[in-house]
Amino acid sequence: MTGLASAPAPAHPEGFHVLLFSKTAAGAYRHDSIPAGIAMFEQLAARNDWELTRSEDSAVFNDAALATFDVVVMLQTSGMVWDNDAQRAATQKYLRGGGGFVAIHNATDMNVEQQFPWWDQMPGATMTQHSATVSGTAKVADRVHRSGTALPDRWTRTEEWYNFTRSVRGNAHVLVTADETTYDPGSSRMVATFALGFAVAFASGSRTSGPDATQRRITELEQA
């Protein structure tokens, strides 16, 4: 599950409101794990008493609608999923204002750098290449942060491992590192270990990034 996430103070004392957005733009690749991801979030919402709103309608990206959500989840979004500049501006305003944001897997590599360069600049690093779906090991760097409390020190997964444009060390709080000695990262290898999961302050908000999620892995998370 490669992704960005933030954890602001709850904006709605009456509950926790999540927007789950899973649009694939026309002509872009649609990931077959999207239904499993939706099912996982539905299970999480039921378990944690969240109010979950599912959408693939870009019109939801306006100031008034976004203000009703504590967090926006971009689930495997591909291509230019915003229809116009106003929707893109609303997305920026929401995140800069401290809105919660989670970008999963392909949402960090949507191929919109020419039309919406801010989106690629926002994570601090973007994917350049990924491995085949192979077994590899991630090492949990922070066992106190809630993202790592339930994970083992060394987490072996069969995944599609991302390589990024740069290391975020020094600019981010590292949560998880990838151990490239345990799999073949391809020609765009980083270093022996690099930050795979991280939290970064962005204006008033924050975000984290993590490993890829295949459909099988999402199913495992549902059952956890």
Side-chain angles (χ1 to χ4, degrees):
M1 184 188 303
T2 298
L4 315 174
S6 64
H12 308 285
E14 71 279 10
F16 191 69
H17 300 257
V18 179
L19 171 62
L20 182 62
F21 190 73
S22 54
K23 179 179 177 179
T24 303
Y29 178 76
R30 187 169 180 87
H31 287 76
D32 60 9
S33 60
I34 288 175
I38 291 172
M40 179 189 73
F41 274 99
E42 289 175 336
Q43 181 178 5
L44 288 171
R47 183 187 301 170
N48 295 283
D49 198 26
W50 299 344
E51 181 178 300
L52 183 70
T53 300
R54 291 168 45 191
S55 179
E56 294 198 355
D57 183 356
S58 301
V60 73
F61 288 95
N62 66 78
D63 293 344
L66 291 176
T68 67
F69 297 107
D70 296 285
V71 61
V72 175
V73 179
M74 302 287 277
L75 175 63
Q76 299 278 30
T77 46
S78 296
M80 180 50 69
V81 297
W82 298 274
D83 293 334
N84 52 53
D85 289 341
Q87 293 174 1
R88 290 184 280 272
T91 302
Q92 294 181 63
K93 181 178 179 180
Y94 174 80
L95 212 162
R96 285 175 170 146
F101 222 71
V102 178
I104 295 177
H105 188 37
N106 201 66
T108 62
D109 180 44
M110 290 168 58
N111 293 316
V112 296
E113 59 272 12
Q114 299 300 318
Q115 302 156 287
F116 195 17
W118 176 86
W119 183 257
D120 274 356
Q121 295 163 7
M122 182 261 295
T126 54
M127 191 271 283
T128 57
Q129 186 188 51
H130 59 71
S131 72
T133 302
V134 295
S135 177
T137 300
K139 297 193 290 186
V140 178
D142 185 346
R143 300 303 304 278
V144 176
H145 191 279
R146 60 185 178 180
S147 66
T149 54
L151 299 177
D153 290 335
R154 292 180 63 85
W155 190 27
T156 299
R157 304 299 323 150
T158 298
E159 301 284 5
E160 188 179 79
W161 300 85
Y162 269 19
N163 298 320
F164 293 97
T165 51
R166 62 182 64 87
S167 171
V168 300
R169 291 185 186 278
N171 298 308
H173 175 66
V174 176
L175 302 172
V176 180
T177 63
D179 185 350
E180 285 191 338
T181 66
T182 62
Y183 64 93
D184 181 5
S187 60
S188 296
R189 68 185 310 118
M190 300 281 288
V191 292
T193 59
F194 68 93
L196 186 66
F198 49 90
V200 185
F202 182 77
S204 299
S206 64
R207 60 192 185 276
T208 64
S209 169
D212 178 28
T214 60
Q215 184 167 346
R216 182 173 65 85
R217 175 58 188 146
I218 289 174
T219 302
E220 290 173 359
L221 288 169
E222 285 180 330
Q223 297 168 348

